[in-house]
Amino acid sequence: MKVTFLGTGTSQGVPVIGCDCLVCSSLDFRDKRTRSAIHLEIDGKSLVVDTGPDFRIQMLREKINKLDAVLFTHEHKDHTAGLDDIRPYNFSQKKDMPIFGSRKVLNQIKREYSYIFDEVKYPGVPSVVPNEITNNPFSVEEIIVTPIEVMHYRLPVFGFRFQDFTYITDAKHIERKEIEKIKGSKVLVLNALQKSHHISHLTLNEAIQLTEIIQPKVAYFTHVSHKLGTHQEIEKDLPAHIRLAYDGLKIYID
């Protein structure tokens, strides 16, 4: 399995418009964060988790010319706003794009992209096949995916486990029974927004503490805001088995 971090930033991205803080002014490429998403290559299949506002530029940057399916963690715009840009894959692959999400996610997509679902479609609009998922394992292109339900304040959000890799973003609290579904993962990706308290996201210390409970071989933190600090500053103080992810980072899992 190959995992590419398409984006590792929070909803505003980094740098933030109009901000001249140390992080937003940094020249380190690792401090340039587009909205959070990942690409997975598993057994020759190409999957994306979330299509945020930066989806097009992320796919161009990584030269991803084939896409078999899209999975959505939740319905917030920083995770869905790029869906229209699946069109080139529709055209080149000559097929509808399977999308997977909870009922709430699919209903919101149907509202916000109503033109995709019109009975008489405007020429050239995206073409999708919605697949509703619940908190039970499901199959995407013969790949078994295990959802992990986490709470983003009061909003249920899905993380996903693919074999020995688990990806979780926009979490503040995870029930014990859901944590048990993560244990045994070799690689864990977890959100770590900032150092100070936040109502709907894990802080850096909370993410570290949760990682110690789950005990993966290695963890990567994502969904990072400019309030966390520079990549260089934060990573030097992290435990040896925890790393700060950055846009374009690629990891390989046996």
Side-chain angles (χ1 to χ4, degrees):
M1 184 191 312
K2 174 185 175 183
V3 179
T4 301
F5 288 87
L6 298 175
T8 57
T10 187
S11 57
Q12 296 185 88
V14 183
V16 174
I17 293 173
C19 182
D20 60 359
C21 74
L22 182 64
V23 177
C24 290
S25 303
S26 170
L27 298 180
D28 188 338
F29 73 93
R30 296 170 299 180
D31 290 321
K32 312 298 182 188
R33 301 182 182 276
T34 57
R35 269 58 74 96
S36 288
I38 57 169
H39 175 258
L40 302 101
E41 292 181 23
I42 307 174
D43 299 331
K45 302 299 182 180
S46 171
L47 311 177
V48 159
V49 178
D50 290 335
T51 59
D54 306 303
F55 174 71
R56 175 180 172 274
I57 198 69
Q58 292 167 343
M59 301 300 270
L60 285 170
R61 186 193 70 214
E62 299 302 329
K63 297 180 173 59
I64 297 169
N65 297 324
K66 173 178 175 284
L67 184 60
D68 294 305
V70 177
L71 291 74
F72 289 103
T73 58
H74 64 299
E75 60 267 34
H76 283 169
K77 292 289 281 186
D78 56 318
H79 295 262
T80 64
L83 178 60
D84 188 85
D85 285 320
I86 65 164
R87 286 180 294 154
Y89 296 107
N90 290 147
F91 304 153
S92 64
Q93 297 171 186
K94 296 180 173 56
K95 60 175 284 190
D96 299 340
M97 183 64 65
I99 62 172
F100 294 79
S102 69
R103 180 177 300 179
K104 284 185 66 178
V105 170
L106 296 180
N107 285 344
Q108 182 142 332
I109 286 173
K110 287 174 183 177
R111 287 194 300 271
E112 295 189 354
Y113 296 94
S114 58
Y115 58 91
I116 295 178
F117 302 94
D118 286 342
E119 284 190 25
V120 180
K121 292 182 172 57
Y122 190 84
V125 301
S127 184
V128 303
V129 179
N131 295 270
E132 182 181 335
I133 61 174
T134 61
N135 195 9
N136 293 293
F138 60 97
S139 176
V140 180
E141 295 288 324
E142 301 183 350
I143 299 163
I144 300 301
V145 184
T146 302
I148 313 293
E149 187 177 81
V150 305
M151 295 305 297
H152 182 34
Y153 186 41
R154 295 177 179 173
L155 177 69
V157 169
F158 277 144
F160 298 112
R161 179 168 180 171
F162 306 83
Q163 300 171 10
D164 290 328
F165 170 76
T166 298
Y167 179 76
I168 294 173
T169 182
D170 291 74
K172 181 62 177 179
H173 176 73
I174 309 179
E175 293 286 348
R176 184 179 299 274
K177 63 183 175 62
E178 299 298 314
I179 290 176
E180 290 302 316
K181 290 158 65 174
I182 307 168
K183 287 186 175 179
S185 298
K186 292 179 181 177
V187 180
L188 170 66
V189 177
L190 203 57
N191 61 299
L193 186 76
Q194 58 192 38
K195 292 180 180 178
S196 58
H197 171 75
H198 193 276
I199 195 169
S200 60
H201 285 278
L202 293 168
T203 65
L204 180 63
N205 283 338
E206 288 169 343
I208 292 172
Q209 290 167 10
L210 187 53
T211 300
E212 296 307 320
I213 292 170
I214 296 170
Q215 295 187 328
K217 276 190 171 183
V218 62
Y220 293 89
F221 291 166
T222 191
H223 213 288
V224 171
S225 92
H226 66 147
K227 295 180 180 179
L228 183 65
T230 65
H231 188 284
Q232 184 177 31
E233 169 201 349
I234 297 303
E235 186 159 81
K236 69 181 175 60
D237 293 329
L238 289 174
H241 62 296
I242 299 177
R243 290 286 171 265
L244 208 56
Y246 56 86
D247 288 26
L249 173 66
K250 296 170 178 58
I251 57 176
Y252 300 84
I253 305 156
D254 294 331

